[in-house]
Amino acid sequence: DYTLNVSDDVIIFDVSVNALVSLPDPTSLVGKAFSIINKYTSTADLTFSEDINGSSTFTLTPAQNLTILTDGTEYLIYE
């Protein structure tokens, strides 16, 4: 499990993982982005403490990344 801190920008998972990722309160972080990268050779199943685009679970394939940002109200996927 991992708790994102305000000072985090990029989080790299380099081991096989099924993790809960705790997100900071989005209301104090307008425009803050986090990139989560799966550097391992198998999938990473991640559950977030808050919904992102209506879902709290994401599976990242090897070398896949997910960038999220907050608009000050919620977290959104940035593509």
Side-chain angles (χ1 to χ4, degrees), residues 6-42:
V6 175
S7 60
D8 290 333
D9 293 314
V10 177
I11 299 86
I12 298 172
F13 288 103
D14 60 358
V15 295
S16 181
V17 66
N18 295 319
L20 171 64
V21 180
S22 297
L23 299 170
D25 180 9
T27 60
S28 61
L29 300 173
V30 176
K32 175 68 178 171
F34 298 102
S35 291
I36 299 101
I37 300 168
N38 179 13
K39 190 178 172 185
Y40 194 62
T41 57
S42 65

Side-chain angles (χ1 to χ4, degrees), residues 2-78:
Y2 187 79
T3 299
L4 284 171
N5 296 302
V6 175
S7 60
D8 290 333
D9 293 314
V10 177
I11 299 86
I12 298 172
F13 288 103
D14 60 358
V15 295
S16 181
V17 66
N18 295 319
L20 171 64
V21 180
S22 297
L23 299 170
D25 180 9
T27 60
S28 61
L29 300 173
V30 176
K32 175 68 178 171
F34 298 102
S35 291
I36 299 101
I37 300 168
N38 179 13
K39 190 178 172 185
Y40 194 62
T41 57
S42 65
T43 60
D45 295 315
L46 305 177
T47 302
F48 290 89
S49 60
E50 299 197 32
D51 281 355
I52 303 165
N53 286 34
S55 180
S56 64
T57 58
F58 293 87
T59 298
L60 299 181
T61 58
Q64 185 179 14
N65 68 62
L66 174 69
T67 300
I68 60 173
L69 62 88
T70 176
D71 63 2
T73 304
E74 62 186 343
Y75 284 96
L76 305 165
I77 294 174
Y78 178 77

